[in-house]
Amino acid sequence: MEKLKVLHVDIGGCEGCNVSILRAFPNVQDFVELNMKYLAKKTCAEDKYDMVIITGGVCMNEPHIIEKVKSLREKASTLVAFGSCATFGGILRFCRGGQEPRPDHRNFQPINSVVKVDYSIPGCPPTPQMVQSFFKFFIAGDERRLRLFKVCADIKKLSGFDLIDDIVLTGLCIGCGACELSCPTQAIKMIDKRPNLIAEKCIRCGTCYVRCPRASQLLCMGGKI
Amino acid sequence: MISLASDNLLGTVFGVYLARAKDEEIRKIKVASGGAVTALLTYALEKGIVDGVVTAKRIKGLEGQAIVAHDKKELLEAAGNKWSIVPFAARMKAKIEEENLQRVALVCLPCQAQFFGQMRDFPLLETDFGERIKYIISLFCMGTFAFEAFLNYLRMKYGIKAEQIKDIALKKDFLEIIYDDTTLALPIEEVYSYLQAGCLVCTDYTGTWSDISAGFVESEPGWTVLIARNPRAEELIKNAEKEGYLELKEGSHVIGEVLKKAREKLARAQQNMMYLL
């Protein structure tokens, strides 16, 4: 079987996602040909890649980054936004005054503000195992399992705040506790069987939203809230 | 507003079986269905295929609690229908880590199966424990009660206190509440508004993210319907039969009935979504 030709490009961020992809490399190298600057390979050398993975948010004040993302779209058969910054803007986009890290240019956008994205994988950062299973299901063509990430590719903002707005305040929360378990910063605590969000702690990665059974079910059905 | 192909309603179906426990003890306790889930899990525990079963146990009234069962006795104590959602996730993680379980079977509702299924397939967090989950068994679900409200209703209208309730069972269009030594049959319409709003917009009847879906259909009383969703699940069911824990027969003729229920749930969800969203 021919290997999937994958290019990884980082356009700014904390390197967490890059490390995650790098950590997955030993387990995926049998079926994926990964081009990544950490692997001392010449990246962007070819005209066409099966998949381009972009990490980090787009800084709208830097035209060369926008150009780069556009040219990557040309090269890619499938474009994947990996990590919360690339998917929804994450901490880069939503951090407020006084909070660290504080980017100089305060205008970060998710990749899908600039080009069309095929799959978005939120998470801060998504684990190496996630990279593995994504490749596995992608190569197997398992659309049902990848549906959630496909839907996320059209969404520009998902966070704990949206979870509270869309699911808890509308009364759709059933109190299963999935969000509490999936918050990487422990910003969500279950109080009286309903989640409570500690606003200062939320880094807007969107993990809780895609993990909420109700929210992910509604997303997958295409029922836009 | 929502379009869903009907073949998607039941998810991947690998095989459908009607099963019941061979063990008389299990069948005696499980009056409603065949006790196949309990028997299947007993088999998995006794043969060391899993080292713990995380399930919910009703502690008082309708309130449930997540527990880990290690043997048949503990499984039997947790057997029976639950009517409220159990805040499973966080407690489960604590339980699994506390006892250092490596191969767990989960018995849960479709929504929880979806969460754990997604976690197993797509571990987004370093703290995920998906690789420890061996089997996810989802029960057919028509919804869970907002049970404080429901219990209040029962107390105000019928004078039934939470402690008195022994069991609740669904019989055709009636919800039978067994308390003390009496049975009260409530029409489903009467109690519908006490289901949680989140359940009213849920479209998943069988638990499409599970390995095995289990439940019962009215045309086959005394039998549990088992839907195997992958070869691994099929193997578990077949082996349980071989080892004499399960009585098994082909069940593809009831899939229509399951599908009908699933459609009902979808129709209800679509209707309610118009009001709620």
Side-chain angles (χ1 to χ4, degrees):
Chain A
M1 198 183 76
E2 212 170 297
K3 285 186 185 181
L4 194 72
K5 223 159 52 170
V6 178
L7 170 70
H8 164 255
V9 177
D10 181 47
I11 53 169
C14 72
E15 308 285 311
C17 299
N18 310 356
V19 172
S20 187
I21 295 174
L22 196 60
R23 274 172 65 197
F25 176 67
N27 295 321
V28 298
Q29 58 180 339
D30 290 341
F31 48 94
V32 171
E33 185 194 322
L34 190 62
N35 289 282
M36 195 180 187
K37 65 175 177 189
Y38 300 97
L39 295 170
K41 286 197 178 147
K42 203 165 154 45
T43 53
C44 301
E46 288 172 56
D47 289 339
K48 213 70 186 152
Y49 289 92
D50 293 331
M51 186 191 282
V52 174
I53 300 177
I54 303 182
T55 55
V58 187
C59 179
M60 300 308 271
N61 300 351
E62 292 191 55
H64 75 276
I65 296 275
I66 298 174
E67 284 313 310
K68 192 172 176 185
V69 171
K70 280 182 181 161
S71 78
L72 286 172
R73 175 71 264 192
E74 305 274 296
K75 282 179 193 282
S77 306
T78 307
L79 189 73
V80 178
F82 189 81
S84 291
C85 295
T87 347
F88 307 130
I91 188 81
L92 285 180
R93 184 179 175 202
F94 292 106
C95 68
R96 290 152 297 134
Q99 211 174 31
E100 295 289 342
R102 187 161 28 188
D104 289 334
H105 297 281
R106 299 198 173 202
N107 190 7
F108 278 89
Q109 287 290 320
I111 312 279
N112 59 8
S113 297
V114 181
V115 291
K116 194 192 170 305
V117 175
D118 296 306
Y119 294 100
S120 279
I121 304 172
C124 195
T127 56
Q129 291 91 320
M130 176 68 223
V131 183
Q132 281 174 47
S133 21
F134 179 75
F135 282 136
K136 196 179 85 195
F137 289 118
F138 181 79
I139 291 169
D142 196 335
E143 283 295 320
R144 190 177 75 84
R145 286 200 150 69
L146 293 177
R147 172 125 181 92
L148 182 62
F149 302 105
K150 192 145 212 161
V151 173
C152 283
D154 293 326
I155 299 172
K156 290 198 168 61
K157 169 178 166 280
L158 279 188
S159 66
F161 294 89
D162 297 286
L163 183 81
I164 298 290
D165 282 350
D166 296 347
I167 304 297
V168 183
L169 296 184
T170 49
L172 297 185
C173 175
I174 47 169
C176 68
C179 47
E180 182 187 26
L181 198 62
S182 40
C183 182
T185 58
Q186 271 119 50
I188 296 177
K189 281 270 162 305
M190 295 297 277
I191 295 174
D192 280 344
K193 297 199 180 75
R194 292 292 179 267
N196 179 49
L197 181 75
I198 303 161
E200 290 78 14
K201 278 190 178 178
C202 179
I203 53 168
R204 323 229 185 182
C205 64
T207 315
C208 54
Y209 202 99
V210 295
R211 277 292 175 77
C212 170
R214 182 84 326 105
S216 61
Q217 199 181 48
L218 287 170
L219 281 178
C220 286
M221 281 191 298
K224 216 155 171 34
I225 302 178
Chain B
M1 74 193 277
I2 281 155
S3 61
L4 194 68
S6 62
D7 58 343
N8 231 335
L9 266 184
L10 298 181
T12 324
V13 178
F14 203 82
V16 187
Y17 301 97
L18 286 164
R20 67 176 179 196
K22 275 234 170 109
D23 196 328
E24 284 295 327
E25 201 187 338
I26 296 175
R27 284 226 307 261
K28 223 163 34 197
I29 292 181
K30 304 275 289 185
V31 261
S33 56
V37 175
T38 315
L40 199 62
L41 292 171
T42 311
Y43 159 71
L45 276 175
E46 285 179 1
K47 298 287 169 198
I49 300 168
V50 297
D51 53 11
V53 174
V54 181
T55 181
K57 181 181 172 179
R58 205 162 60 215
I59 42 171
K60 73 170 202 309
L62 296 180
E63 209 165 341
Q65 195 183 30
I67 59 146
V68 182
H70 304 91
D71 52 36
K72 191 172 119 192
K73 197 172 138 277
E74 287 174 332
L75 271 179
L76 284 176
E77 281 170 10
N81 298 330
K82 319 291 173 312
W83 293 90
S84 72
I85 193 104
V86 179
F88 227 45
R91 267 197 68 82
M92 242 203 63
K93 186 174 180 231
K95 284 267 177 205
I96 287 177
E97 273 167 10
E98 212 171 276
E99 305 195 13
N100 196 23
L101 302 170
Q102 296 301 328
R103 302 180 306 275
V104 186
L106 290 176
V107 187
C108 50
L109 299 179
C111 46
Q112 295 161 331
Q114 184 175 0
F115 166 61
F116 290 117
Q118 281 177 343
M119 179 160 85
R120 191 173 54 173
D121 284 351
F122 302 113
L124 290 170
L125 298 161
E126 295 280 346
T127 49
D128 282 348
F129 49 93
E131 73 283 352
R132 295 190 183 190
I133 301 172
K134 187 111 189 198
Y135 292 104
I136 301 172
I137 299 178
S138 163
L139 308 172
F140 294 180
C141 172
M142 258 317 198
T144 59
F145 283 111
F147 66 95
E148 286 100 343
F150 182 58
L151 285 177
N152 266 342
Y153 174 75
L154 285 183
R155 187 168 50 84
M156 310 252 279
K157 188 152 182 203
Y158 299 100
I160 305 171
K161 290 200 196 92
E163 315 69 277
Q164 291 177 296
I165 299 174
K166 283 204 186 108
D167 200 7
I168 299 185
L170 190 66
K171 293 267 166 67
K172 286 233 162 69
D173 294 333
F174 288 91
L175 192 69
E176 290 189 345
I177 294 162
I178 299 142
Y179 64 104
D180 293 340
D181 296 316
T182 341
T183 303
L184 172 75
L186 291 172
I188 287 283
E189 291 80 31
E190 190 180 328
V191 294
Y192 240 34
S193 50
Y194 291 95
L195 288 180
Q196 299 208 71
C199 296
L200 290 173
V201 297
C202 175
T203 55
D204 196 355
Y205 176 60
T206 53
T208 51
W209 283 86
S210 61
D211 294 315
I212 301 172
S213 291
F216 60 100
V217 289
E218 270 152 21
S219 66
E220 295 276 358
W223 290 85
T224 312
V225 183
L226 293 179
I227 302 177
R229 298 191 181 279
N230 51 40
R232 227 157 35 85
E234 177 119 335
E235 199 188 307
L236 183 76
I237 296 172
K238 283 271 166 65
N239 286 344
E241 188 204 15
K242 234 180 273 164
E243 299 279 335
Y245 286 83
L246 272 186
E247 207 178 319
L248 211 62
K249 60 179 186 182
E250 172 59 27
S252 33
H253 59 284
V254 297
I255 197 80
E257 213 172 323
V258 180
L259 194 59
K260 194 173 145 246
K261 280 279 198 186
R263 283 214 186 92
E264 262 174 47
K265 193 168 180 179
L266 176 68
R268 184 182 79 184
Q270 286 178 323
Q271 201 180 15
N272 284 308
M273 243 176 250
M274 285 189 275
Y275 300 129
L276 290 170
L277 296 181

